[in-house]
Amino acid sequence: MSRTAVLTVASAARREHLERQRRILAEVAPEALRVEVWLDQTLPDWVPNAAALTLHVPPGPHGLRVGEGRNRAAAAALAAGADLLVFLDVDCLPGADLLPRYRAAAAAAPDALLSGPVTYLTSVQRPSTAAELPGHTRPHRARPLLADGEIRLATRDEYALFWSLSFAVTPAAWRRLGGFHDGYEGYGAEDTDLAWTARAAGIELRWVGGAHAYHQWHPVSSPPWRHLDDILRNGAAFHRRWGEWPMGGWLDAFAAAGAIERRGDGWARVA
């Protein structure tokens, strides 16, 4: 019998999003193995979920350890017998077909990294049931839009479009990936690093039509000013590993605002 695990890393700042995700996931996939990883320093009383395995990965010296949290979640799910790992960001709600589409794609391509479309909800779109989600479907245009049930192999350049908001892998593919690199703390770069790891290892990235996730609204800034130091630190770590800088659009925006400047082959704050 197959056992799909849904893995989510969370923090206190996303309580409302997590609780909405819990409700809709229980509605569309009550049979799924649920693993939740708490990333803040301590666990509030409301965190434990009777329907989930709850883990705690406290922050490192530079911030939340998102990648390590996902790695721990995967390890727990595999130990519990999961044969498909679905990573779903705490901000994201699962469409009714998200798990079935990922399962079908995994059956067709068990060695691939699987990625479904993500719709960004507006501030007034706060669905409370799965039945409300299809009416909001408007996948982000930066990524390929496929017909429901269609699966397409990504081009080499499209690995740059991978987001860790919603993706799935079989245990074999996860072990081949080796999980998220532990050199990133705080905001940014860990998902691009995973995509580059997959590409370097010859692991296919496949786009999965119909595996819809819905990103819940929260305030953001563009570029993300409060994460500037994280972006510089994690971007430098990425550069050491891959010889290039990720998040180029944000770096260019920070530079245009006079906050950072090029120094050699790197970036640094302007004094």
Side-chain angles (χ1 to χ4, degrees):
M1 181 178 179
S2 64
R3 193 173 200 196
T4 299
V6 179
L7 318 176
T8 298
V9 293
S11 66
R14 295 287 181 263
R15 177 175 182 174
E16 179 184 347
H17 293 151
L18 176 62
E19 291 180 341
R20 187 177 288 113
Q21 184 192 83
R22 285 173 172 177
R23 291 195 300 271
I24 291 185
L25 184 61
E27 181 183 351
V28 302
E31 77 289 350
L33 171 64
R34 177 67 162 152
V35 183
E36 296 176 356
V37 184
W38 183 255
L39 297 180
D40 283 341
Q41 192 65 49
T42 58
L43 280 75
D45 292 341
W46 61 266
V47 167
N49 176 3
L53 298 175
T54 301
L55 309 177
H56 182 212
V57 176
H62 300 296
L64 301 183
R65 296 189 289 158
V66 176
E68 179 60 19
R70 290 177 175 143
N71 291 343
R72 300 269 189 93
L78 293 175
D83 57 12
L84 182 64
L85 306 177
V86 176
F87 294 80
L88 191 65
D89 192 86
V90 68
D91 295 335
C92 291
L93 303 174
D97 291 331
L98 183 137
L99 296 191
R101 292 303 179 212
Y102 275 147
R103 283 193 288 261
D111 297 322
L113 178 62
L114 308 170
S115 182
V118 177
T119 288
Y120 276 75
L121 301 174
T122 67
S123 61
V124 297
Q125 294 174 325
R126 301 192 179 191
S128 58
T129 68
E132 297 174 55
L133 294 175
H136 297 309
T137 303
R138 191 185 68 257
H140 197 289
R141 291 179 293 178
R143 305 170 81 217
L145 177 59
L146 307 182
D148 188 15
E150 182 183 0
I151 303 170
R152 180 171 74 72
L153 178 64
T155 67
R156 181 174 179 81
D157 289 344
E158 285 178 340
Y159 279 77
L161 302 178
F162 173 78
W163 296 335
S164 55
L165 293 173
S166 169
F167 72 98
V169 285
T170 64
W174 178 252
R175 293 186 180 103
R176 190 175 169 195
L177 273 169
F180 285 86
H181 191 266
D182 63 4
Y184 303 100
E185 291 182 358
Y187 184 88
E190 81 283 343
D191 50 355
T192 307
D193 187 281
L194 188 75
W196 261 235
T197 299
R199 187 170 63 183
I203 297 172
E204 294 179 346
L205 171 62
R206 289 184 176 261
W207 305 115
V208 183
H212 289 288
Y214 299 81
H215 183 277
Q216 302 176 77
W217 181 87
H218 57 77
V220 296
S221 65
S222 183
W225 285 101
R226 70 189 183 96
H227 298 302
L228 173 56
D229 289 327
D230 286 351
I231 289 170
L232 291 176
R233 185 184 61 257
N234 287 339
F238 186 96
H239 181 266
R240 289 192 294 271
R241 280 173 53 76
W242 302 106
E244 59 184 292
W245 280 77
M247 303 175 282
W250 289 339
L251 291 169
D252 289 341
F254 290 136
I260 63 174
E261 63 185 7
R262 292 293 302 202
R263 294 186 186 168
D265 59 0
W267 291 93
R269 273 187 177 269
V270 174

